Amino acid sequence: ADGGDAELELSAVRHQPEGLEQLLAQTKFTKKELQSLYRGFKNECPSGLVDEETFKLIYSQFFPQGDASTYAHFLFDAFDADRNGALCFQDFVVGLSILLRGTVHQKLKWAFNLYDINKDG
């Protein structure tokens, strides 16, 4: 063994979501909703992280008739709040909370960030 399994286990441990209480405070989801979302997220992404290529594959399943990869790229960037090139559960659920249950101002700010491709404001 080259230690790859141990490294993978550490990676999975490092990317567990923030505490449930913190996510309850950061989002407008209930505890049951967060638990359900987390199960779905882990089912699609067992490592706890989603890179851009995986995100594009998942997103394309919702739009099988065309090439959604360009739009998926911009969505990935908008969800990747810490700009580290990977989505963790917290990135995903905070963005989803804004989109589904945010104020009009929060939604507009999120949408502006999505379309501000060069991030010049």
Side-chain angles (χ1 to χ4, degrees):
D2 61 2
D5 289 340
E7 192 175 311
L8 183 63
E9 285 178 11
L10 283 175
S11 176
V13 168
R14 270 198 301 273
H15 299 295
Q16 291 296 317
E18 296 298 320
L20 187 58
E21 296 303 318
Q22 184 177 345
L23 287 175
L24 282 167
Q26 283 183 294
T27 69
K28 296 183 179 182
F29 291 119
T30 66
K31 183 177 181 179
K32 284 189 184 302
E33 288 171 327
L34 284 170
Q35 289 169 331
S36 178
L37 286 166
Y38 185 65
R39 278 192 299 275
F41 186 88
K42 287 293 281 186
N43 188 48
E44 288 292 326
C45 312
S47 72
L49 289 177
V50 181
D51 63 16
E52 187 171 341
E53 289 308 308
T54 304
F55 183 83
K56 285 179 180 179
L57 287 172
I58 294 167
Y59 188 78
S60 70
Q61 294 173 16
F62 296 99
F63 301 96
Q65 301 303 319
D67 181 8
S69 63
T70 301
Y71 189 69
H73 165 75
F74 297 129
L75 271 178
F76 180 86
D77 280 352
F79 275 106
D80 186 15
D82 56 8
R83 303 269 175 258
N84 68 352
L87 299 182
C88 64
F89 180 68
Q90 181 178 358
D91 292 337
F92 173 70
V93 80
V94 167
L96 195 61
S97 176
I98 291 168
L99 288 173
L100 296 177
R101 299 187 180 158
T103 64
V104 170
H105 180 76
Q106 289 170 324
K107 290 176 183 180
L108 285 171
K109 187 175 174 183
W110 197 92
F112 184 87
N113 179 51
L114 171 66
Y115 289 103
D116 183 18
I117 296 166
N118 64 2
K119 305 300 180 208
D120 67 354

